[in-house]
Amino acid sequence: MKKLLKYSGFISLVLVVVAFILMMATNSVIVGSGNHVIRYSGVNAIFGNKDSLLAPNPSVLALLSWIFILVGLVIVLLGIILPLLKVHALEKFAGLLNLVAVLLFVVAGVFMFIVVPTFASANSWPSTNDVHIGAGWVIGGILSIVGGVVAILPAAADFLGKK
């Protein structure tokens, strides 16, 4: 178990990088059913697209989840690098950074699940009956939340070990 805890930052980093790639590369919102289906990419949900006839406005929560994942990735990288410097004060700071990254990843994962109502309201759609979240965003949200949970494991084990 201790070996797994040693690499939890790296495991969390890999999970969230995959979530970030899924967020950018897959369909975020699927509108319609049957033969009349419009698929909006993750980039459209995050940044909008003014070049298209079906120009969607960006979703605020999609943009926030993108920012949270990006900032969380930088923080996890710092949390991995700082203990390697062998400075005792920086190791405690790395633990605090890890906690911030956990919160960012979990909130970003939750935001990825509720992108449909915010995307619909940003584009003034009257109903979300035929609007669905893309599978890549569902998997990305799950991976982001799991990455946050994995990142907190060393701190939780340390806390439980001291009691």
Side-chain angles (χ1 to χ4, degrees):
M1 181 69 175
K2 285 194 172 203
K3 289 186 180 187
L4 177 67
L5 292 178
K6 184 178 177 182
Y7 298 111
S8 66
F10 182 71
I11 293 168
S12 173
L13 184 72
V14 169
L15 288 173
V16 177
V17 164
V18 171
F20 186 75
I21 291 170
L22 285 172
M23 183 180 197
M24 297 297 289
T26 62
N27 294 329
S28 59
V29 178
I30 301 166
V31 181
S33 61
N35 293 334
H36 304 289
V37 176
I38 302 170
R39 289 176 169 78
Y40 292 105
S41 70
V43 175
N44 284 346
I46 297 167
F47 303 113
N49 182 6
K50 298 300 178 199
D51 297 334
S52 170
L53 177 65
L54 304 168
N57 293 319
S59 167
V60 174
L61 290 182
L63 180 63
L64 281 176
S65 65
W66 183 79
I67 290 169
F68 286 174
I69 286 180
L70 202 60
V71 170
L73 286 172
V74 170
I75 289 174
V76 166
L77 281 174
L78 284 174
I80 291 171
I81 293 171
L82 286 179
L84 298 175
L85 298 176
K86 303 288 186 198
V87 178
H88 186 66
L90 291 179
E91 288 179 11
K92 293 186 184 234
F93 185 63
L96 180 64
L97 285 177
N98 221 3
L99 181 63
V100 171
V102 166
L103 293 174
L104 288 173
F105 291 154
V106 170
V107 170
V110 170
F111 282 177
M112 287 174 75
F113 286 117
I114 55 177
V115 72
V116 168
T118 60
F119 193 70
S121 67
N123 291 291
S124 302
W125 293 337
S127 170
T128 58
N129 292 339
D130 287 337
V131 182
H132 309 286
I133 188 170
W137 276 57
V138 171
I139 296 168
I142 291 169
L143 288 177
S144 179
I145 292 171
V146 169
V149 170
V150 168
I152 197 73
L153 286 178
D158 190 36
F159 177 73
L160 292 174
K162 289 182 179 178
K163 281 199 163 197

